[in-house]
Amino acid sequence: MLKFVTSNPRKFVEAQEILSDFELVQVELQVPEIQGKARDVVRRKTTDVLEQIDGPFFVDDTSLEFSAMDGLPGIYINDFLRKLGPEGLFKMLESFGNKRAFAVAWIGYADEKGDIEIFEGRVEGKIVKPRGETEFAWDPIFQPLGFEQTYAEMGVKEKAKISHRKKALEQLANYLAT
Amino acid sequence: MLKFVTSNPRKFVEAQEILSDFELVQVELQVPEIQGKARDVVRRKTTDVLEQIDGPFFVDDTSLEFSAMDGLPGIYINDFLRKLGPEGLFKMLESFGNKRAFAVAWIGYADEKGDIEIFEGRVEGKIVKPRGETEFAWDPIFQPLGFEQTYAEMGVKEKAKISHRKKALEQLANYLAT
């Protein structure tokens, strides 16, 4: 049994699909996230959760990195999305010529002994004027490289095949399988 | 004796000047800051320091709030400044019409019993193209309301008279005096 510490049922369902060989259990915990580099933030989140529950479990975090802004808003994307919305995020980047961006999923995994591994799933793309349903996060402004559609225009299933979260979860699945 | 937990000697000197009735001692500690609302972040920082040293002490934090961005970058200003510089911060706001901003100094104070008080010093101003020495933080892009100069153009002494940090430290001084 593998615990996924998240308060987001949608993420949980997605993770269970990708980690179909494992029995996932959703655990909800309040864990404040620190400021800093993404990898450090996820590691700290994992150790903080370890003080509350035993492994094996994993936590996740997401960053949206604008190349023109040296990787920002990065892990602060949740606050930025909540306050600016997809329109405002696009606007923030409007004065910069370079629209390249990376969607990054981070997973912090702790095994039953408390050893920690960090996995990173990274998808290159560009930031565009919002297109598609705004139901999920910043999906309307992120168009992955090699696609004509934004995450939001793709539909859940198609996105799930190529997403940053998919990549990170696959790394976790591979790690668990060995 | 009152401890000021900071790794910034410049801030320490400034604080000692304003809190001239008190004997300040600088203490350096590594305390990660969490993400979230400024007041919560400062409170958490204070309680985290309380686990390492006894009061009375105070910690500080700064936020730079762009009104057009609903208060962002706010407490994330340090990361934004480090990655974008004053030029990049100005550029980020370029597409937004409203240039109003607030410079905010936060102080978390813990007394000898561990009781906590939060003080907030707030200065309204606007974000301008960088002017003046870039030696200190985002001073070149912040022009306080009622002044023709940016913080950077003012010179240390003049700025210290009207700054957000001055306001917060005065609140602390008043609190300690009563």
Side-chain angles (χ1 to χ4, degrees):
Chain A
M1 196 193 70
L2 176 60
K3 298 165 213 160
F4 180 14
V5 180
T6 182
S7 52
N8 187 329
R10 187 163 171 168
K11 279 189 183 176
F12 180 78
V13 170
E14 188 184 34
Q16 181 62 82
E17 268 179 35
I18 293 167
L19 296 167
S20 52
D21 290 346
F22 303 87
E23 184 198 345
L24 288 200
V25 177
Q26 183 177 1
V27 176
E28 294 198 42
L29 283 179
Q30 287 295 74
V31 194
E33 286 170 7
I34 62 167
Q35 300 177 38
K37 289 182 187 162
R39 187 172 289 272
D40 300 337
V41 173
V42 176
R43 186 170 290 277
R44 172 63 180 258
K45 190 172 173 180
T46 312
T47 56
D48 282 350
V49 169
L50 259 178
E51 288 178 8
Q52 299 188 53
I53 63 171
D54 291 326
F57 68 78
F58 65 99
V59 300
D60 82 322
D61 202 357
T62 303
S63 60
L64 183 62
E65 306 176 357
F66 295 173
S67 295
M69 292 176 61
D70 198 13
L72 293 171
I75 49 157
Y76 307 129
I77 184 61
N78 287 340
D79 267 7
F80 275 73
L81 180 71
R82 188 163 44 239
K83 297 204 163 194
L84 303 181
E87 286 284 354
L89 279 169
F90 175 75
K91 200 163 183 177
M92 187 172 82
L93 194 62
E94 210 168 319
S95 308
F96 297 90
N98 181 1
K99 305 297 183 198
R100 191 167 73 140
F102 291 89
V104 192
W106 297 90
I107 289 179
Y109 168 75
D111 67 17
E112 57 287 346
K113 288 179 296 182
D115 290 336
I116 292 173
E117 292 286 333
I118 308 291
F119 304 100
E120 178 186 356
R122 184 170 281 269
V123 170
E124 183 173 349
K126 64 178 176 183
I127 300 301
V128 298
K129 242 184 167 7
R131 298 198 318 262
E133 289 299 319
T134 58
E135 183 191 1
F136 198 61
W138 36 264
D139 281 7
I141 59 165
F142 186 76
Q143 181 175 321
L145 193 67
F147 290 82
E148 295 299 317
Q149 295 170 305
T150 62
Y151 266 180
E153 290 173 315
M154 282 186 170
V156 178
K157 292 216 162 163
E158 197 180 348
K159 178 195 159 192
K161 285 182 205 157
I162 61 128
S163 80
H164 51 298
R165 198 140 54 228
K166 166 74 176 274
K167 287 188 176 185
L169 287 166
E170 277 180 345
Q171 285 181 39
L172 173 61
N174 289 339
Y175 179 84
L176 294 175
T178 57
Chain B
M1 197 193 70
L2 176 60
K3 298 165 214 160
F4 180 14
V5 181
T6 181
S7 52
N8 187 329
R10 188 165 171 164
K11 277 188 184 176
F12 180 78
V13 170
E14 188 184 33
Q16 180 63 82
E17 268 178 37
I18 293 166
L19 296 167
S20 52
D21 290 346
F22 303 88
E23 184 197 345
L24 288 200
V25 176
Q26 183 177 2
V27 176
E28 294 198 42
L29 282 179
Q30 287 295 74
V31 194
E33 285 170 8
I34 62 167
Q35 300 177 39
K37 289 182 188 161
R39 188 171 288 273
D40 299 337
V41 173
V42 176
R43 186 171 288 278
R44 172 62 180 259
K45 191 172 172 180
T46 312
T47 55
D48 283 350
V49 170
L50 259 178
E51 289 179 8
Q52 300 188 53
I53 63 172
D54 291 328
F57 69 78
F58 66 98
V59 301
D60 83 321
D61 202 357
T62 304
S63 60
L64 183 62
E65 306 175 357
F66 295 172
S67 295
M69 292 176 61
D70 198 12
L72 292 172
I75 50 157
Y76 308 128
I77 184 62
N78 286 340
D79 267 7
F80 275 72
L81 179 71
R82 188 163 44 240
K83 297 205 163 194
L84 302 180
E87 285 283 356
L89 278 169
F90 174 75
K91 201 164 182 176
M92 188 173 81
L93 194 62
E94 210 169 319
S95 307
F96 297 89
N98 181 1
K99 306 296 184 197
R100 192 166 72 140
F102 290 90
V104 192
W106 297 90
I107 288 179
Y109 168 74
D111 66 19
E112 57 287 344
K113 289 179 295 183
D115 289 336
I116 293 173
E117 292 286 333
I118 307 292
F119 305 99
E120 179 186 356
R122 185 170 281 269
V123 170
E124 183 172 349
K126 63 178 176 183
I127 300 301
V128 299
K129 241 182 166 10
R131 298 198 316 262
E133 290 299 319
T134 58
E135 184 192 0
F136 199 61
W138 37 264
D139 281 7
I141 58 166
F142 186 76
Q143 180 176 323
L145 193 67
F147 291 82
E148 295 300 318
Q149 296 170 304
T150 63
Y151 265 179
E153 290 173 316
M154 282 186 170
V156 178
K157 293 216 161 162
E158 198 180 348
K159 177 195 159 191
K161 285 182 205 157
I162 61 129
S163 79
H164 51 298
R165 199 140 54 227
K166 166 74 175 274
K167 287 189 176 184
L169 286 167
E170 277 179 347
Q171 284 182 39
L172 173 61
N174 288 339
Y175 179 83
L176 293 175
T178 57

